[in-house]
Amino acid sequence: MGEPQAIIDEGLLKRFVPISALASNSLRQIAKKAIITEYKPGDQLFRKGDRDGLTMYLLNGEIDLVAGGQSILVEAGSETARHPIGQHQPRQVDAVARSAVSCIQVETNIVDMVLTWQQSAVEVDDIAQDKSEDWMT
């Protein structure tokens, strides 16, 4: 199991979906709670069936996602790596480090809450700015 190494800079989060679309203050909230975790080749990031409550993004290295005897390679910087790794809970796959790996980890409930707040704020702003028609007349 990887060990937490550092608190991350919010700029790193801009690489990843869906959090890349968040406003700066929302990114800052996630960055405060996120950590970078390091893994050695052969380490398991998680196992199929795990319910760890984490959203994980591959920052550096390569991992294998393994299920049903099939393996998919995910490389940091790829389009696939822009999205959370094995995001469904319980986990549908095993994730194994193929090389030295760094992952950003943050509790999924925090990500969900910030995304919901961001969406709610946008909706309220849209309503407040729609002054083109007076609904009373």
Side-chain angles (χ1 to χ4, degrees):
M1 182 74 127
E3 293 297 320
Q5 297 298 316
I7 296 174
I8 69 161
D9 176 65
E10 65 190 76
L12 285 176
L13 297 175
K14 292 181 181 180
R15 297 183 193 177
F16 304 105
V17 175
I19 57 179
S20 61
L22 293 172
S24 300
N25 60 339
S26 297
L27 276 173
R28 201 169 307 115
Q29 294 301 315
I30 291 177
K32 287 178 184 178
K33 301 293 185 178
I35 59 171
I36 295 176
T37 305
E38 306 284 335
Y39 297 89
K40 295 180 248 175
D43 283 354
Q44 283 211 288
L45 284 67
F46 52 79
R47 297 180 194 278
K48 182 177 180 178
D50 283 355
R51 291 180 184 268
D52 56 21
L54 297 174
T55 295
M56 298 176 68
Y57 292 99
L58 182 60
L59 187 58
N60 294 302
E62 300 176 337
I63 62 168
D64 287 312
L65 298 178
V66 183
Q70 304 248 345
S71 178
I72 298 172
L73 172 65
V74 180
E75 299 173 284
S78 68
E79 182 60 29
T80 301
R82 293 187 66 228
H83 300 269
I85 303 165
Q87 66 183 349
H88 300 288
Q89 303 261 337
R91 301 285 187 184
Q92 304 297 302
V93 296
D94 292 329
V96 181
R98 182 180 274 200
S99 66
V101 166
S102 300
C103 288
I104 294 174
Q105 294 182 344
V106 64
E107 292 180 29
T108 300
N109 62 353
I110 292 170
V111 174
D112 291 345
M113 183 174 54
V114 172
L115 287 168
T116 300
W117 285 347
Q118 175 83 25
Q119 181 62 36
S120 296
V122 169
E123 289 172 3
V124 169
D125 285 346
D126 288 346
I127 293 168
Q129 292 177 9
D130 188 10
K131 298 177 183 174
S132 60
E133 296 181 22
D134 181 2
W135 66 273
M136 296 284 290
T137 57

